[in-house]
Amino acid sequence: MRFSTLLVLAVGTFAVGADGFILNGLLPEIARDLRVSESVAGQLTTLFAVTYAVGSPVIASVTGSWDRRVLLGGGLAVFTVGMAGQALGTTFAVVAVARVLAALGAAAFQANAYAVAGALAAPEQRGRALATVAAGMTASTVLGVPLGVLGGQWFGWRAVMWAIGVVGVLVAVAIPVLPQVRLPVVGLRDRLAVLVRPAVVKVLLITVVGMFASFTVFAYLPLLLGTAAPGAMLSWVLVAFGVGQVAGNSLAGRGTDGFGPKRVLLLSLAGMALVFALLNWAALTLPTTLLIGFGAGAFSGMLMVPQQHRLFELAADAPTVALGLNGSAIYVGAGLGSAIGGTVLAAAGTPWLAPTAATIALLGLLLAVRTTSSAARTPIPA
């Protein structure tokens, strides 16, 4: 598999990831500009997540016979229109509609990017191929989110939206260099059949819970870290978080290929529970905030590669379906996290966000221990 193919896919996931997550760092500015509360502005993340979760399986069913290049390029085109709408929108309603368009474009691109990488890679290299594409998502937190926060402070959050749109256009132009890929056509009935397989449902549930825990705090990070990392200092915390994610993602790819997905998954969830439990204490000073930010990024960055690898094994007859559903699960979890986090913020205040996330991550760990142990004892039908 050519590295250039993985690079194009990774840069595309970088753009999609930057839009999906960058609003977290720009939340105060967006709320002021659109004249809404920060908890309401945080629901833009929820809207993106719900749209992606619903749109991904529908798009995949309707376009099952298409060349993947058409879907990748078309998805980025719709995504770019959504970015322009966000940059131009002057009311919350207009920006919300643009978020829906961007999410639909992201749904068309992202699931197919992972499916193409997984289909073209040899089985023994699949973990590293998936990790390379996922690196685009994690790199969006290393470069995209901190630069977005600084860009938002220097040039305004709308300029950041334009910049992400430009990256999307550049990747769309490069899509024709990819090899032609046609995957097995899977209708909506077959797609639903994959969804009701008990082993697949258990994997997807862990994805939802893991992302739920992460976004309970990540969607409101500027508020959580306002004392130790005010203003531009937040960018350094986001850099530490992003560097941790890149490190965790890389270790997950090699660890999954070398030791299997179970150990990597359990380490990810256990580490997330620990760092979220320590977050309020760590947020008292900048050095400890940077350290805990790196740890949170590393452990959360380990989550997706073993999950994707498990789905390839459990749904070998329909990997595109399984990965598409996992993409939906990611954004269901993100939507739950931002929505419940907003509720906790409004009802109990900022100090309760981190303990809530730690509890959810711990529940995810217990679920993973139970499901991976039962999977080891029980053969899974194809």
Side-chain angles (χ1 to χ4, degrees), residues 137-341:
M137 184 70 71
T138 56
S140 70
T141 59
V142 178
L143 298 175
V145 175
L147 289 177
V149 172
L150 291 176
Q153 293 172 349
W154 293 342
F155 307 110
W157 68 273
R158 298 178 188 280
V160 176
M161 300 296 106
W162 283 118
I164 297 172
V166 169
V167 175
V169 170
L170 294 176
V171 177
V173 171
I175 292 298
V177 308
L178 302 183
Q180 184 181 32
V181 177
R182 291 185 182 274
L183 299 173
V185 178
V186 182
L188 186 58
R189 178 178 298 178
D190 294 328
R191 193 169 292 273
L192 293 174
V194 174
L195 178 59
V196 298
R197 294 181 188 178
V200 172
V201 171
K202 291 173 182 177
V203 174
L204 296 177
L205 182 58
I206 291 171
T207 294
V208 170
V209 174
M211 295 302 294
F212 185 175
S214 294
F215 270 78
T216 299
V217 297
F218 192 51
Y220 303 95
L221 211 55
L223 305 179
L224 274 165
L225 306 180
T227 301
M233 294 305 298
L234 176 62
S235 297
W236 292 106
V237 179
L238 293 173
V239 167
F241 181 89
V243 170
Q245 278 210 319
V246 170
N249 180 75
S250 178
L251 290 173
R254 295 180 180 276
T256 298
D257 286 339
F259 303 105
K262 176 182 175 180
R263 293 181 181 179
V264 178
L265 175 63
L266 296 180
L267 177 61
S268 172
L269 291 166
M272 287 168 61
L274 177 62
V275 296
F276 292 151
L278 296 174
L279 183 57
N280 281 344
W281 167 80
L284 296 175
T285 68
L286 181 59
T288 51
T289 299
L290 292 170
L291 180 61
I292 210 73
F294 176 85
F299 289 117
S300 63
M302 291 180 183
L303 180 64
M304 280 307 113
V305 171
Q307 288 291 87
Q308 291 162 342
H309 198 282
R310 293 174 72 202
L311 289 170
F312 259 103
E313 294 177 341
L314 295 172
D317 56 323
T320 309
V321 176
L323 287 180
L325 291 170
N326 192 59
S328 295
I330 289 172
Y331 284 99
V332 167
L336 283 172
S338 57
I340 299 302

Side-chain angles (χ1 to χ4, degrees), residues 361-373:
L362 182 59
L363 291 174
L365 174 63
L366 296 175
L367 178 64
V369 169
R370 183 177 179 84
T371 58
T372 54
S373 297

Side-chain angles (χ1 to χ4, degrees), residues 9 13 16 48 51-61 63 66-79 100-116 175 320 324 328 331:
L9 297 175
T13 59
V16 171
F48 186 100
T51 302
Y52 185 106
V54 174
S56 181
V58 174
I59 292 170
S61 297
T63 61
W66 293 17
D67 182 348
R68 298 298 103 175
R69 293 176 298 183
V70 175
L71 277 173
L72 293 170
L76 285 174
V78 174
F79 172 79
V100 169
L101 285 176
L104 290 173
F109 178 86
Q110 190 165 312
N112 282 289
Y114 287 118
V116 167
I175 292 298
T320 309
S328 295
Y331 284 99

